[in-house]
Amino acid sequence: MKQYWLMKSEPSDVSVDDVLAMRNQTVAWYGVRNYQARNYMRDQMKVGDGVLFYHSSCAEPGVIGLAEVVSTPYPDHTQFDKKSKYYDAKATEENPRWMLVDVKVLKKTRLLSLPELREQPELEEMVILKRGNRLSITPVTAAEWKCVGKLLK
DNA sequence: GCCAACGTTGGC
DNA sequence: GCCAACGTTGGC
């Protein structure tokens, strides 16, 4: 069964436009260093799952694109790269700690801003909108996905 | 296993 | 830059 996710990226790091400029409009979702977010990618994501591409830590945070999961999980190579800020000394090739999936942007949308998301009664329970939530990857229900789709039409 | 200290996230 | 919220670390 198809599942849905919201994935945060800082546009100063990787924006929707950056991904659209990449080969196959696909990016390896590197840099996640939170176990819960990793577990979503490693254990629950399936090829074809829907993804809301969200810009965070920027002037106008919000949903800015529709994407999908296009790979099974595999090790995040940045954990082995000593020059990367995502380097993890405790991770080895034999025993990788951080896994990721490839995400393909299907289309850039208008900015569905955080305040606008908060206005929607149907999205009241959305994980991303919960107080204190900091997870960079959160599940989205089918109803929430549908609601967001409607708002982006 | 507890929990204080510390670091990070991310909206504002 | 501030700071609330939360995750991680490490001493005990």
Side-chain angles (χ1 to χ4, degrees), chain A residues 20-127:
Chain A
L20 284 174
M22 288 180 193
R23 194 162 57 88
N24 297 331
Q25 296 77 55
T26 297
V27 65
W29 207 266
Y30 64 88
V32 168
R33 292 297 179 268
N34 169 283
Y35 289 106
Q36 204 177 338
R38 178 206 65 183
N39 292 349
Y40 284 141
M41 288 197 283
R42 190 190 61 184
D43 306 332
Q44 291 192 240
M45 283 191 186
K46 298 279 183 287
V47 171
D49 277 3
V51 173
L52 300 176
F53 198 112
Y54 181 95
H55 279 175
S56 70
S57 289
C58 56
E60 291 189 298
V63 173
I64 187 78
L66 295 175
E68 70 176 1
V69 176
V70 291
S71 82
T72 51
Y74 63 96
D76 178 345
H77 70 89
T78 63
Q79 69 193 299
F80 311 126
D81 179 1
K82 283 195 173 140
K83 283 173 290 183
S84 170
K85 69 170 175 171
Y86 299 116
Y87 176 69
D88 184 341
K90 290 179 184 160
T92 62
E93 305 259 2
E94 300 74 39
N95 210 349
R97 176 178 290 202
W98 305 107
M99 305 291 279
L100 54 68
V101 296
D102 289 342
V103 173
K104 175 171 184 165
V105 172
L106 301 175
K107 72 183 256 196
K108 185 178 181 179
T109 64
R110 73 176 178 91
L111 177 79
L112 178 49
S113 72
L114 188 54
E116 192 177 350
L117 288 167
R118 289 197 191 283
E119 280 172 18
Q120 312 303 320
E122 300 106 299
L123 300 180
E124 211 172 340
E125 293 299 308
M126 203 170 175
V127 180

Side-chain angles (χ1 to χ4, degrees), chain A residues 121-150:
Chain A
E122 300 106 299
L123 300 180
E124 211 172 340
E125 293 299 308
M126 203 170 175
V127 180
I128 185 77
L129 302 180
K130 292 258 167 89
R131 177 186 158 86
N133 170 71
R134 297 186 317 175
L135 257 190
S136 64
I137 299 176
T138 51
V140 172
T141 67
E144 288 161 355
W145 176 268
K146 213 170 150 189
C147 176
V148 168
K150 221 179 275 175

